[in-house]
Amino acid sequence: MSDRHITRRIRGMDTADGAGVKLKRIIGQPGLDMLDPFLLLDEFRSDQADDYIAGFPEHPHRGFETVTYMLAGNMLHRDNHGNTGKLVAGSVQWMTAGRGILHSEMPQQEAGLMWGFQLWVNLPAAQKMTAPRYQDIAPERIPVVHPAEGVEVRVLAGELAGAVGPVEGIPTAPLYLDVSLQPGAALTLQLPPAHHGFAYVFDGDAALVGGETLRRSELGVLSDGDRLQLTGTDQPARLIVVAARPLNEPVARYGPFVMNTPEQIHEAIADFRAGKF
Ligand code: CO
């Protein structure tokens, strides 16, 4: 048995995406370009409508998966194949873009808090051109477990304390947990030893991750290992813990296209321009 610890700390960078949505980019910025298989992590959080109202109008994706986890607010998802989905507080959408989709994500509110995460997870070379697939998961389908006193965990993907998250059939075998810790509470997580992982504190002041203090809005990259100790401080805290199997494949990346070679990127741009998405 080996304990995971924090090997790097990253703070989100303030930026804007879509039609001007203000957000913090945590993975996918100069301080942490990627953490195989994770390509991007954004936290959007604002109660000022001007920061989010313009939304994410139609844009393409090819070669990876986008995962939207909503903490507060409402967005409507729509794509060019006629699929629509409501993103409400507590829901998760795991979208496998595969060979290509065009979609939009637009706020369905004119005031109030909009808060959540978007994570990009790479696809293995053999599945980059798979058919697009959606897993739209309503809040009530996400199991809530209490594996220790003062600990509550929503299991979005993977398994914890006999609960299996509803997201299924993902090639990188992800674990995605939303962990709430009361003061002093402690939890030991078992993680696949070679999965790459991170923890990110998004509410409260700080949590202890692998025995070290991780402050709010700070992402800790985890070492390899099969155990991770999480402990509350003297204030309640909430964090996401995410881990997945690294692909160890070449990455060619251009905006919303993530492939293995520059040639495949040129092909993606040509296909997009030719209306083949
Ligand atoms: Co998108």
Side-chain angles (χ1 to χ4, degrees), residues 10-26:
I10 312 293
R11 285 207 154 263
M13 213 175 94
D14 290 321
T15 185
D17 207 341
V21 177
K22 290 196 181 142
L23 48 83
K24 271 196 195 309
R25 181 144 297 159
I26 309 148

Side-chain angles (χ1 to χ4, degrees), residues 26 38 44 55-56 74 93 109 115-116 122 156 159 176 182 206-207 220-221 231 238 251:
I26 309 148
F38 307 113
F44 47 92
F56 300 89
N74 294 289
Q93 185 197 56
Q109 64 190 43
W115 190 11
N122 209 356
L156 280 63
E159 194 176 343
Y176 194 145
Q182 290 304 310
V221 176
T231 316
R238 203 166 157 198
V251 174

Side-chain angles (χ1 to χ4, degrees), residues 59 61 66 103 105 118:
H59 59 277
H61 293 287
T66 68
H103 76 159
E105 293 140 306
Q118 186 164 100

